[in-house]
Amino acid sequence: MRILHSICSYFKLGDFYGGLLSSGRLLKYGSGMVFNGMTPFPFSVNFLITKNCNFNCEICSWKGCEDTDNNSSEDELRTDEIKRFIRELKVHKPLLHLGGGEPFMRKDIGEILVSIKDNGLRCIVTTNGFLLNEHLIDMLINLEVDGIIFSLYGWGERHDDMTGTKGSFEKTIDNLKLVLDKRRYYPRVYVSTVPIDYAEGEIHKLTGNLKALGIDGLKVEQLNYLSQEEYGKSLTARGPFDLRPRTLIKKGHMTIEESRRMMSMLRALSRTYDKFVFIKPDLSDNQLIDWYAGVPKRKRNCLFIAHSLFINYNGDIIPCQFFPQCRLGNIRKDQLRAVWNSGRYRELRKTINSISPLACARCCKN
């Protein structure tokens, strides 16, 4: 069932979603998309609590893009505004996924996490791990934050080169080890990487070393990007919706031979490490070649917008991080419950699935 696959596309079902899913709820998400565009309250809320980051990663979605946020409020949500929103979520109990930017750039991150757990919500944090320290790690463990996803782009200097920050690999690994040494069961610890520009055997070295450390899994996420030509062709608006994309812009694509080498690398990784490695999305051979050597032919309805959404750093309610200009409301003044099944949001679901924007072609959420 595709709706189940879409909901569970982050990591293992049992780690984060156990007890939150039912066949009835899944049926409501799927049938709502088919019949009237109305679905139950979002299953997961992806909360980009800051746009600030201490790294300058080569593969960041801001690279090469215009500043598509230049018309929105520049101020980040205040602590009290975030806490108020968390209290609103309490009755619905979605999975809350904190990201950014780098979440630990916020000085009030501790208050935010305490509020989340005090309100009985499950929470995952995606981080580059550099700003963690023993005090923050103890807090994450004592609060029983459900999961931490560390971003890592190689073993050793390659990670430093990708992040533009000397010493970032050593600091991140030290903090990752400290979490593993101190935790009881929670938080579950994962690492996320992208399968780009790895030399022969390098991604196997990363995977093997991480498994030996005792992390719970490695997510290998296909790179979301547009070529400069694709970006130029991207749809800018459809009725009331501003669909200018924000994603990594590359000059061009891989050659077919380069994409075939990547395919062979990923297949070998899956054979060697089995369920420890989670490739997202898991593409067929031809789909993977199309992904990197041309325009993907994955014309599929977006199910993510039926069950999840993003909240931007300034409170904007947006369908996903790739369309920050597509503002459907703002949590400073709007109730998420009212926005989620508003006529405008329902029309957006139909629009996205009828026009299949180029920025959606390499989406990892479906």
Side-chain angles (χ1 to χ4, degrees), residues 76-139:
E76 291 183 346
L77 291 164
R78 301 189 309 270
T79 310
D80 63 299
E81 292 172 322
I82 291 176
K83 287 182 175 181
R84 184 176 68 241
F85 178 62
I86 291 168
R87 290 194 296 271
E88 178 190 339
L89 297 179
K90 180 178 180 178
V91 67
H92 303 286
K93 296 195 179 302
L95 176 71
L96 198 55
H97 190 162
L98 299 187
E102 167 52 47
F104 289 94
M105 289 285 286
R106 288 194 64 125
K107 290 182 170 56
D108 60 355
I109 183 65
E111 289 184 69
I112 293 170
L113 290 170
V114 168
S115 179
I116 290 169
K117 299 314 276 183
D118 280 352
N119 283 279
L121 298 176
R122 297 191 182 187
C123 176
I124 307 170
V125 184
T126 290
T127 176
N128 59 45
F130 189 85
L131 298 176
L132 289 176
N133 54 45
E134 190 162 6
H135 169 72
L136 288 171
I137 289 169
D138 286 342
M139 178 191 66

Side-chain angles (χ1 to χ4, degrees), residues 6 17 74 89 98 126 135 176 221 223 226 284 290 299 361:
S6 178
Y17 302 132
E74 287 297 322
L89 297 179
L98 299 187
T126 290
H135 169 72
L176 187 153
E221 186 162 340
L223 186 67
L226 291 173
S284 69
D290 288 341
K299 299 296 182 184

Side-chain angles (χ1 to χ4, degrees), residues 222 225 253-264 266-267 283-298 362:
Q222 310 292 358
Y225 74 96
H253 303 291
M254 290 182 180
T255 65
I256 290 178
E257 184 57 37
E258 287 171 334
S259 61
R260 282 177 175 160
R261 283 199 296 270
M262 178 180 289
M263 178 186 69
S264 297
L266 292 177
R267 297 292 178 261
L283 304 170
S284 69
D285 291 355
N286 288 337
Q287 285 174 334
L288 195 144
I289 291 171
D290 288 341
W291 187 288
Y292 290 104
V295 179
K297 300 180 178 65
R298 298 170 71 239
R362 296 183 183 90

Side-chain angles (χ1 to χ4, degrees), residues 1 18 25 35 41 67 123 170 190 215 225 232 234 270 278 283 345:
M1 190 176 187
R25 191 173 188 180
F35 295 110
F41 193 84
D67 184 359
C123 176
E170 184 176 355
Y190 291 89
I215 72 166
Y225 74 96
S234 290
S270 292
F278 181 88
L283 304 170
Y345 215 126

Side-chain angles (χ1 to χ4, degrees), residues 32-296:
M33 284 294 288
V34 171
F35 295 110
N36 59 11
M38 295 184 69
T39 72
F41 193 84
F43 186 82
S44 67
V45 174
N46 299 270
F47 200 170
L48 309 178
I49 58 174
T50 182
K51 67 174 182 177
N52 297 319
C53 188
N54 54 316
F55 281 2
N56 185 29
C57 297
E58 289 185 9
I59 59 166
C60 179
S61 62
W62 288 95
K63 291 283 185 179
C65 274
E66 301 172 5
D67 184 359
T68 52
D69 271 338
N70 56 8
N71 290 323
S72 74
S73 173
E74 287 297 322
D75 57 317
E76 291 183 346
L77 291 164
R78 301 189 309 270
T79 310
D80 63 299
E81 292 172 322
I82 291 176
K83 287 182 175 181
R84 184 176 68 241
F85 178 62
I86 291 168
R87 290 194 296 271
E88 178 190 339
L89 297 179
K90 180 178 180 178
V91 67
H92 303 286
K93 296 195 179 302
L95 176 71
L96 198 55
H97 190 162
L98 299 187
E102 167 52 47
F104 289 94
M105 289 285 286
R106 288 194 64 125
K107 290 182 170 56
D108 60 355
I109 183 65
E111 289 184 69
I112 293 170
L113 290 170
V114 168
S115 179
I116 290 169
K117 299 314 276 183
D118 280 352
N119 283 279
L121 298 176
R122 297 191 182 187
C123 176
I124 307 170
V125 184
T126 290
T127 176
N128 59 45
F130 189 85
L131 298 176
L132 289 176
N133 54 45
E134 190 162 6
H135 169 72
L136 288 171
I137 289 169
D138 286 342
M139 178 191 66
L140 290 165
I141 291 168
N142 292 332
L143 287 173
E144 294 191 341
V145 168
D146 298 85
I148 306 175
I149 303 171
F150 288 84
S151 298
L152 204 59
Y153 304 116
W155 192 265
E157 291 184 2
R158 182 182 188 276
H159 179 75
D160 291 7
D161 293 340
M162 291 286 284
T163 62
T165 306
K166 189 174 178 58
S168 59
F169 170 77
E170 184 176 355
K171 185 73 177 293
T172 298
I173 285 294
D174 285 347
N175 286 330
L176 187 153
K177 287 178 179 177
L178 192 56
V179 174
L180 293 172
D181 287 344
K182 284 175 166 278
R183 70 170 179 171
R184 294 173 285 274
Y185 180 82
Y186 290 111
R188 311 304 289 159
V189 176
Y190 291 89
V191 165
S192 179
T193 193
V194 292
I196 299 297
D197 299 330
Y198 275 104
E200 186 72 26
E202 196 171 16
I203 197 168
H204 286 269
K205 178 181 179 181
L206 172 71
T207 309
N209 286 340
L210 289 172
K211 187 172 185 181
L213 286 179
I215 72 166
D216 297 295
L218 172 69
K219 177 181 69 165
V220 180
E221 186 162 340
Q222 310 292 358
L223 186 67
N224 186 289
Y225 74 96
L226 291 173
S227 69
Q228 289 179 341
E229 182 181 1
E230 290 167 345
Y231 185 60
K233 292 179 178 178
S234 290
L235 195 59
T236 56
R238 175 77 176 200
F241 306 115
D242 188 336
L243 298 177
R244 280 176 289 170
R246 183 182 72 193
T247 188
L248 177 67
I249 308 300
K250 291 169 61 69
K251 290 182 179 180
H253 303 291
M254 290 182 180
T255 65
I256 290 178
E257 184 57 37
E258 287 171 334
S259 61
R260 282 177 175 160
R261 283 199 296 270
M262 178 180 289
M263 178 186 69
S264 297
M265 176 188 74
L266 292 177
R267 297 292 178 261
L269 201 65
S270 292
R271 288 194 302 270
T272 303
Y273 295 99
D274 195 25
K275 294 180 181 179
F276 178 76
V277 172
F278 181 88
I279 299 174
K280 178 187 175 202
D282 192 9
L283 304 170
S284 69
D285 291 355
N286 288 337
Q287 285 174 334
L288 195 144
I289 291 171
D290 288 341
W291 187 288
Y292 290 104
V295 179

